[in-house]
Amino acid sequence: MTKKTISEQRIAELANILQDKIHSDEIDTSEFLRQNELEKMLDANRFTVRQVLTELTNRNVLEHIPYRGHKVRVHSADEREQITETRLLLELGAAAQVIMQIDEAGLAQLYEHAVTFAKAVESLDLQAQIRANYAFHSFYYSYCQNVFLCDLINELREKGIRVSRNAWRSPHVSEQSRDEHFAMVEALKNKDLLGLQNLIYQHLNAWKKTL
């Protein structure tokens, strides 16, 4: 693997920052991104912002419309279904690794992440829900030993955030996610692989209830 230059690292870091803001609804994703606003937001010059936009286009977070600019990519119904199907194949397989590796300290921390998400649901703060959900699942998958599998899951989760974001505007879906987080912790504690996999299936398909 080639070592990234400082410049490349900087572009990747800024791209991650902008991607997080897109995921957490801090940016109006229905409009074309304004480059002058991004320069202020990222504290970067025009050339650097263009590189960041190119990086996120390569990641399929953004799409470039010639002569108009960049906007957040919206997945078609078929793409959304395929993203969910692929995530299920990967995440159901990874569940066995997580259940074997997580320890008591990890379970306690995961439970705290579930509590944070529950508080965000209670506050009706969509951005807080997205951040807390991301933190819950990021910590959960830190116990997946297969680095390549984990990278693929995280890449698809980023796409999945854009798929499921609108679903969380429904209190019922948010409350279901909250309950499933606590149930996942309980399944891990009891080494209940089948129960954990069933919860993952429900969790990943929740967005369909809002169609």
Side-chain angles (χ1 to χ4, degrees):
M1 182 180 294
T2 57
K3 188 174 181 179
K4 288 187 176 180
T5 65
I6 294 176
S7 176
E8 289 173 328
Q9 289 177 349
R10 178 62 175 159
I11 297 303
E13 288 169 0
L14 291 175
N16 289 338
I17 291 171
L18 181 54
Q19 183 169 299
D20 287 344
K21 290 182 179 297
I22 291 170
H23 289 164
S24 61
D25 245 11
E26 293 181 43
I27 293 176
D28 186 350
T29 57
S30 65
E31 302 289 338
F32 283 92
L33 302 181
R34 299 178 184 275
Q35 190 160 309
N36 60 334
E37 292 179 1
L38 295 179
E39 290 172 27
K40 294 177 182 179
M41 181 187 298
L42 301 175
D43 191 21
N45 59 37
R46 182 174 294 269
F47 177 72
T48 299
V49 168
R50 285 176 179 171
Q51 289 181 293
V52 170
L53 293 173
T54 298
E55 170 66 18
L56 290 181
T57 300
N58 291 338
R59 295 184 191 180
N60 287 321
V61 174
L62 301 177
E63 60 179 329
H64 179 244
I65 311 297
Y67 308 111
R68 300 195 65 186
H70 292 80
K71 65 183 306 183
V72 175
R73 182 180 177 190
V74 178
H75 293 287
S76 68
D78 285 344
E79 287 176 327
R80 294 171 75 183
E81 183 66 44
Q82 289 173 30
I83 288 170
T84 300
E85 182 180 343
T86 306
R87 288 184 67 191
L88 276 170
L89 290 171
L90 297 175
E91 296 192 36
L92 291 177
Q97 290 192 18
V98 176
I99 211 168
M100 288 177 61
Q101 295 301 318
I102 198 164
D103 54 15
E104 289 297 323
L107 285 169
Q109 285 184 263
L110 190 64
Y111 179 82
E112 288 305 314
H113 282 300
V115 169
T116 301
F117 181 81
K119 290 178 179 177
V121 171
E122 185 177 354
S123 71
L124 302 178
D125 187 333
L126 178 62
Q127 292 182 18
Q129 287 180 50
I130 292 171
R131 289 193 296 269
N133 184 72
Y134 188 86
F136 177 92
H137 290 285
S138 293
F139 185 79
Y140 170 92
Y141 279 110
S142 70
Y143 285 91
C144 175
Q145 281 189 309
N146 188 319
V147 176
F148 297 99
L149 176 59
C150 193
D151 284 348
L152 286 171
I153 287 172
N154 286 331
E155 180 182 340
L156 284 168
R157 276 182 57 227
E158 289 168 0
K159 292 182 173 66
I161 288 172
R162 301 198 298 282
V163 166
S164 62
R165 180 176 54 217
N166 289 333
W168 282 340
R169 298 184 192 279
S170 164
H172 172 72
V173 174
S174 295
E175 290 164 3
Q176 179 181 322
S177 292
R178 174 200 62 199
D179 295 344
E180 286 168 356
H181 284 168
F182 286 115
M184 286 172 70
V185 175
E186 195 65 23
L188 287 166
K189 186 184 299 183
N190 296 328
K191 304 294 183 183
D192 180 5
L193 178 58
L194 187 60
L196 179 61
Q197 289 176 327
N198 183 54
L199 287 164
I200 290 169
Y201 181 88
Q202 293 178 41
H203 207 63
L204 292 186
N205 283 289
W207 64 271
K208 297 178 182 179
K209 295 181 180 180
T210 60
L211 295 180

